[in-house]
Amino acid sequence: MLRRELSAEATPPPLREILAALATVEYEITRINRILEEFVNFARLPTPRFERVEPVPLVQEILGLLGPQASAAGVSVESRPAGSVPSVRGDQDQLRQVFLNLAQNALHAMPNGGVLGVEFSQDGEWVEIAISDSGPGVSESERELIFLPFVSTKMDGLGLGLPIVRRIVEAHGGSVSCHDRAGGGAVFTVRLPLTEG
């Protein structure tokens, strides 16, 4: 459309209009690229390459990456490891994707500010990592649906982020669940098995 418009007119449109059209094109390319990436990630999730993974530094790294985004949204981040947290058996890159998805979802639930909380604990042979937000929460009727493909509570969501989280966590022999946060909001808890030996 832009090419036709520029070649059809004797006098081209002002530079401002051209730049606005190019910005729209760039936005749409980025959006389509994101859609394709999510489809590919969901359809071709690789087999995990298991190793010893330290969950606290991994999640802290992700929180550091999201720090500027959280600050811009007026979200404070509270991370509370419970004593020493043992290592888990996992694929570091895939677990990074899990916690990045969950932390980004928490931020999206609080566009007007709030608290993003992370808690680590051990329950027998399991490590639990709970990521919470002070947003509107997830209704009880939606809690199982949100882990199904193409179900999203966001206007522009594809509904693949949480299904990818569940597939990765279950491939690690773990589980992920959603429940209410005391005081409002949602908590997503990931349970992962300890490193063997």
Side-chain angles (χ1 to χ4, degrees):
M1 285 172 58
L2 187 59
R3 190 184 302 116
R4 275 203 311 268
E5 195 171 318
L6 288 173
S7 59
E9 297 183 20
T11 53
L15 182 60
R16 184 174 57 247
E17 290 179 24
I18 294 172
L19 291 175
L22 289 173
T24 301
V25 169
E26 185 178 19
Y27 170 80
E28 289 299 321
I29 289 171
T30 303
R31 186 178 65 83
I32 290 167
N33 190 52
R34 182 176 61 86
I35 291 170
L36 290 173
E37 283 178 0
E38 290 204 30
F39 275 123
V40 169
N41 286 340
F42 184 72
R44 295 197 322 204
L45 194 64
T47 303
R49 298 172 61 184
F50 292 111
E51 59 182 334
R52 182 185 296 267
V53 177
E54 302 295 335
V56 175
L58 178 65
V59 174
Q60 297 290 3
E61 175 192 325
I62 290 162
L63 295 177
L65 287 172
L66 295 177
Q69 186 180 341
S71 295
V75 172
S76 63
V77 177
E78 296 177 358
S79 177
R80 294 183 293 279
S84 65
V85 179
S87 60
V88 297
R89 178 178 174 269
D91 181 309
Q92 181 133 326
D93 289 335
Q94 290 189 13
L95 291 179
R96 182 179 283 110
Q97 183 68 50
V98 164
F99 297 117
L100 182 61
N101 281 11
L102 292 176
Q104 285 180 323
N105 280 358
L107 286 177
H108 292 155
M110 302 178 288
N112 301 313
V115 178
L116 189 161
V118 180
E119 291 189 36
F120 302 85
S121 59
Q122 184 177 351
D123 180 18
E125 297 297 306
W126 301 89
V127 170
E128 294 186 345
I129 302 101
I131 297 181
S132 62
D133 64 69
S134 57
V138 179
S139 69
E140 195 169 346
S141 62
E142 291 179 317
R143 285 187 202 150
E144 273 306 306
L145 294 177
I146 57 175
F147 290 104
L148 297 175
F150 312 114
V151 175
S152 179
T153 57
K154 293 183 283 190
M155 289 292 291
D156 61 343
L158 294 175
L160 290 175
L162 288 175
I164 288 172
V165 165
R166 175 178 263 178
R167 278 183 64 184
I168 291 173
V169 172
E170 289 181 350
H172 282 67
S175 64
V176 59
S177 60
C178 174
H179 55 277
D180 288 334
R181 173 183 174 270
V187 181
F188 286 84
T189 303
V190 174
R191 281 171 58 89
L192 295 167
L194 297 179
T195 305
E196 295 170 359

